[in-house]
Amino acid sequence: MNKATRKAVIAGNWKMNMTPSKAKEAIEKTAALVSGKNGCDIVLCVPFVDIDAAVTAAKGTNIKIGAQNVHFEKSGAFTGEISADMLLETGVEYVIIGHSERRQYFGETDTTVNQRTKAALAAGLTVILCVGEVLEERQSNITDEILSMQTKLALAGVSAEEMQKVIIAYEPVWAIGTGLTATPQQADEACGLIRSVLAGMYDEKVAEATTIQYGGSMNDGNAAELLAKYHVDGGLIGGASLVPEKFDAIVTAAQ
Ligand code: 13P
């Protein structure tokens, strides 16, 4: 298993954008553009209330639908939360866990990221697990330690078999929504570091088989050179995923 055989995954993270009617429109438009481009898996992670419209619009297309978070309990008194079973029944196949915006603004910790990951995998969802350093950590030369720690803590108790349903997204926090992109070399080094952590936790086979995406201001202009790197197997795209033509250009770059 190597870059040529690993599954490339281009995923959009819509964040808190698009009402259900806008979601329908955007997915229909995107689906027409990416039709037949089967060289990568294509996922759009939408707000909870858009899921129904998104799943309906994506039916029969090569776009799969994901959510942006999931709670770790099966049910109960957790006001405002959504369980893995609820997501599954609405037709969601993927879920983003541990996004830096959840960690920064909503008190997400390595412990809850691990709990959510295990619950999502147990339910049969594919997890897009986000890790990434903040600017001060990169400037202090502790990026490797941060990525290693976040990866190990998030995946504690996750089996080698379950890793077949885990995608890791390396998202340097300083590159998210800032227009500042990691250089292809920085992205490759960080994704490679994460792969070596997986080799240590599991084995070489799991490490080489795992899809590792880059995210952070990836767009139609820089996707090709990022995706050309050995350890970069796809992208998690914020802003550019809201514009069908831009998202399609990134999908095209991944073919
Ligand atoms: P931007 O592509 O808008 O920088 O967002 C990246 C991101 O956070 C995807 O999850």
Side-chain angles (χ1 to χ4, degrees), residues 7-76:
K7 204 187 302 168
V9 182
I10 299 296
N13 174 9
W14 279 3
K15 309 191 180 184
M16 196 175 73
N17 292 290
M18 303 268 192
T19 61
S21 60
K22 291 254 163 57
K24 176 178 184 287
E25 231 173 82
I27 289 181
E28 285 171 356
K29 209 165 169 194
T30 305
L33 292 167
V34 303
S35 170
K37 296 178 184 170
N38 296 319
C40 63
D41 284 355
I42 304 169
V43 185
L44 287 172
C45 297
V46 307
F48 291 130
V49 295
D50 291 352
I51 289 171
D52 195 31
V55 168
T56 304
K59 214 173 203 139
T61 75
N62 55 344
I63 297 176
K64 292 169 181 156
I65 301 302
Q68 298 173 12
N69 199 9
V70 63
H71 196 259
F72 38 86
E73 293 293 346
K74 283 189 97 56
S75 63

Side-chain angles (χ1 to χ4, degrees), residues 6-177:
R6 275 197 297 272
K7 204 187 302 168
V9 182
I10 299 296
N13 174 9
W14 279 3
K15 309 191 180 184
M16 196 175 73
N17 292 290
M18 303 268 192
T19 61
S21 60
K22 291 254 163 57
K24 176 178 184 287
E25 231 173 82
I27 289 181
E28 285 171 356
K29 209 165 169 194
T30 305
L33 292 167
V34 303
S35 170
K37 296 178 184 170
N38 296 319
C40 63
D41 284 355
I42 304 169
V43 185
L44 287 172
C45 297
V46 307
F48 291 130
V49 295
D50 291 352
I51 289 171
D52 195 31
V55 168
T56 304
K59 214 173 203 139
T61 75
N62 55 344
I63 297 176
K64 292 169 181 156
I65 301 302
Q68 298 173 12
N69 199 9
V70 63
H71 196 259
F72 38 86
E73 293 293 346
K74 283 189 97 56
S75 63
F78 301 101
T79 302
E81 293 292 327
I82 303 284
S83 75
D85 287 345
M86 291 171 185
L87 292 180
L88 274 179
E89 203 171 310
T90 55
V92 160
E93 295 175 72
Y94 292 76
V95 62
I96 295 172
I97 294 178
H99 192 279
S100 63
E101 285 149 20
R102 301 285 334 158
R103 296 179 193 252
Q104 274 185 299
Y105 309 137
F106 302 101
E108 196 76 62
T109 65
D110 288 316
T111 305
T112 54
V113 169
N114 176 245
Q115 288 173 304
R116 290 178 204 273
T117 299
K118 287 192 288 194
L121 291 171
L125 291 165
T126 296
V127 170
I128 300 176
L129 170 67
C130 301
V131 296
E133 82 286 1
V134 300
L135 187 60
E136 299 72 46
E137 291 163 344
R138 177 160 286 268
Q139 287 170 339
S140 307
N141 286 321
I142 56 168
T143 298
D144 289 7
E145 286 85 348
I146 296 295
L147 296 180
S148 170
M149 182 185 73
Q150 288 182 353
T151 304
K152 286 180 185 170
L153 290 172
L155 295 174
V158 172
S159 70
E161 202 191 328
E162 286 175 315
M163 283 302 292
Q164 290 172 23
K165 295 200 117 184
V166 175
I167 294 164
I168 298 182
Y170 165 60
E171 296 209 310
V173 181
W174 48 271
I176 295 177

